[in-house]
Amino acid sequence: MGLFNWHRAVIKVGSALIAPQGKDCTGQFLLPIARYISECRQQGKEIVIVSSGSVAAGRSLINHSEVPSIAEKQAMAAVGQTRMMANWARFFDFPCAQILITHDDLADRRRYVNIKNTIRELLNNGILPIVNENDSVATQEIKVGDNDNLAAMVSQVADADLLVICSDIDGLYTADPRSNPNAEFIETVDLVDESIYALAGGTTNKIATGGMRTKIEAAEKATFNGVHTLIVNGRKGQVFDKLLQNEQQGTWFKRQATPKKARKHWLQYTLKSQGSITLDKGAENAVLNKGASLLSIGITQVQGAFQKGDAVNLLDQKGQVIAKGISQYSQLELTKIQGKQSQQIVDILGYCPSDVIIHRDDLVIL
Ligand code: GLU
C-alpha cells in the first residue's frame, strides 16, 4: 500500500495551528484542514482528529502566575477544552465527539478496549472523534505529555493506517535550513534510527527542536505499528489540496509492516495470553474460514483468570491453539455466558457491553 491508499487516518493538529498566539483558539489555519477531512470522508475514508489547544484556549480565562502552576494549567485545560471543541465543530456539518484520555487509560487493558470500542462505534455512525489528553486529571506520572506521541498511540488503538502530523514546520531537514544553506529537505524516511533522531537535536533553532523529537518518536511508534506517517506544514493550505490530489507533501515516514502484520505481531508477541477459550466446531469454522467475530454461543470452555481487555488463546476441540484475541469479557463473566445466545447476555449478567466476545479486528489466526 502506498501513501494514498489508506482507509483510516489520524490527523494530529498542534497548538501552533490552533493557538498561534499561545492563547485563545482560532480557526485561522483550520479551514483547509477541515476541508481536507470533509473531502476524505466523502470518499468513504475515516478520520480521527487528535487536537491540542485546550490549555491555550483557556489561558486568558484563568488568573495565573507568570509561569502557570499545574493546577492553573489544569483549570485552563478544563475551560479551554470546550472552546477548542466548539472551534472545530463550526467547520463541520456532521457531529464531532470528544474523547479525553491519559497514558494510564491506554496502559489499562480494560480501558484500552473501551476506548477502542468507542472509536469504532463513533466511526460506524459517521461521527468525527476528536481526541486530546485529559489534562485536567492527568498528573505527570500518568501523562503521555505531548500530543505527537498521543496521536501515535491513538493511531494504534483506532486501527488507523495513516498518521498526519500537522505542524508549523515543513517536515524534516538534514540541518537547520535557516542557518545552513546546504540543508536539504528530507522527503522520505525509510526507517527511524539514531541518524534520524540526530537531526532533531543539537541546535536551539525552532525548526530543529520545536517538537521535532516528539514527532520523530511518534513516527517511529506509528510506522512500527504499520501506520504511514506524514509530517506536514499545516499553516500552508495548499498542502491539503495537494494531498487530495495524491501529491506527497512534507516528510513521509514509511511504515515498517502492513497494519495487519504489525497488529498480528503485537497480539502474538507483545500481549501475553492470560487464558484460553475453547470453541465448538461451528465457531472454529466461522473464525478460521469466514472472518467472523467470536460469539458466546460457540464457546465450550473457558480457562485462566483473565479480565476484560486481556489477550487469550482460542483453542479447537483438540486443545490446539488456532487463534489469539482480545476478550471483551472476563473469564468469570464468560463462564456464565458460554454456549448462550448473544441476546441472553443481558439477562444473565445484567449488562451487555458487547455483542461479540472477541471482535474480528482484535483477533489473529495463528
Ligand atoms: N494536551 C495539550 C493541550 O491540549 C497539548 C499537548 C501538546 O500539544 O503536545 O493543550
Side-chain angles (χ1 to χ4, degrees):
M1 186 194 88
L3 182 56
F4 295 104
N5 199 10
W6 56 274
H7 174 63
R8 186 177 293 169
V10 169
I11 300 191
K12 185 261 172 180
V13 184
S15 301
L17 300 175
I18 297 203
Q21 318 298 340
K23 62 179 169 74
D24 306 322
C25 58
T26 156
Q28 192 182 350
F29 297 115
L30 303 192
L31 185 59
I33 302 176
R35 197 180 329 119
Y36 174 69
I37 291 171
S38 298
E39 291 274 345
C40 290
R41 283 171 47 110
Q42 270 180 16
Q43 292 170 15
K45 299 182 174 200
E46 295 175 323
I47 309 274
V48 175
I49 294 181
V50 171
S51 180
S52 307
S54 67
V55 175
R59 198 174 172 93
S60 54
L61 299 171
I62 301 290
N63 284 323
H64 59 87
S65 4
E66 191 158 322
V67 180
S69 67
I70 291 183
E72 284 164 352
K73 275 204 208 148
Q74 290 183 315
M76 289 172 188
V79 66
Q81 177 64 25
T82 58
R83 298 192 157 209
M84 182 266 270
M85 285 298 296
N87 194 35
W88 276 115
R90 63 202 169 104
F91 289 103
F92 302 120
D93 57 0
F94 40 80
C96 300
Q98 166 179 286
I99 304 180
L100 297 175
I101 50 181
T102 64
H103 187 272
D104 237 22
D105 297 325
L106 291 165
D108 179 289
R109 297 294 320 145
R110 266 179 287 186
R111 281 182 263 163
Y112 183 94
V113 168
N114 288 340
I115 296 165
K116 196 177 180 110
N117 292 347
T118 301
I119 293 177
R120 184 152 50 208
E121 215 55 53
L122 288 169
L123 293 174
N124 285 345
N125 282 278
I127 295 167
L128 174 67
I130 302 182
V131 184
N132 192 5
E133 183 138 41
N134 196 352
D135 294 309
S136 300
V137 304
T139 47
Q140 218 52 40
E141 324 79 77
I142 63 162
K143 250 183 167 212
V144 179
D146 68 86
N147 276 9
D148 295 318
N149 277 289
L150 178 69
M153 294 173 187
V154 169
S155 70
Q156 191 190 17
V157 70
D159 288 330
D161 44 18
L162 175 69
L163 168 62
V164 183
I165 299 179
C166 305
S167 187
D168 59 345
I169 43 174
D170 287 337
L172 196 60
Y173 286 86
T174 53
D176 179 352
R178 284 191 268 189
S179 59
N180 188 339
N182 297 324
E184 281 169 37
F185 186 71
I186 301 175
E187 281 190 13
T188 53
V189 173
D190 289 321
L191 176 71
V192 176
D193 57 17
E194 279 314 309
S195 69
I196 299 297
Y197 276 107
L199 301 174
T203 165
T204 53
N205 188 287
K206 195 167 172 255
I207 296 214
T209 57
M212 193 41 95
R213 189 174 175 92
T214 56
K215 287 175 184 54
I216 295 172
E217 282 169 8
E220 182 180 16
K221 274 198 191 87
T223 52
F224 182 78
N225 286 325
V227 182
H228 285 300
T229 303
L230 266 184
I231 297 179
V232 298
N233 193 333
R235 289 196 173 184
K236 297 184 176 166
Q238 70 272 23
V239 160
F240 300 96
D241 298 333
K242 294 206 174 126
L243 283 178
L244 281 173
Q245 290 155 19
N246 289 356
E247 260 181 61
Q248 191 199 318
Q249 296 291 296
T251 301
W252 171 20
F253 295 77
K254 294 189 177 177
R255 69 180 187 195
Q256 295 305 305
T258 63
K260 215 171 162 185
K261 267 205 182 134
R263 190 153 58 238
K264 183 167 175 175
H265 187 275
W266 179 70
L267 254 171
Q268 203 169 346
Y269 301 110
T270 312
L271 284 187
K272 206 168 161 287
S273 176
Q274 305 293 340
S276 63
I277 295 176
T278 307
L279 314 193
D280 67 13
K281 270 266 163 250
E284 178 188 336
N285 184 35
V287 164
L288 288 186
N289 305 318
K290 296 188 183 150
S293 297
L294 175 65
L295 305 178
S296 44
I297 184 94
I299 299 176
T300 60
Q301 211 187 341
V302 185
Q303 279 176 316
F306 57 87
Q307 295 300 321
K308 170 179 179 170
D310 281 339
V312 292
N313 288 330
L314 302 192
L315 312 181
D316 65 12
Q317 287 292 311
K318 293 189 208 108
Q320 278 169 340
V321 181
I322 53 167
K324 190 173 171 188
I326 297 173
S327 179
Q328 298 274 348
Y329 288 89
S330 70
Q331 169 259 342
L332 206 64
E333 290 166 327
L334 283 186
T335 51
K336 296 180 190 158
I337 58 175
Q338 68 181 66
K340 303 281 198 281
Q341 298 279 358
S342 305
Q343 302 91 289
Q344 292 176 273
I345 294 178
V346 70
D347 292 331
I348 299 167
L349 298 178
Y351 49 86
C352 177
S354 167
D355 285 343
V356 301
I357 306 306
I358 298 182
H359 194 280
R360 185 69 211 176
D361 296 347
D362 303 327
L363 192 152
V364 286
I365 307 296
L366 300 178

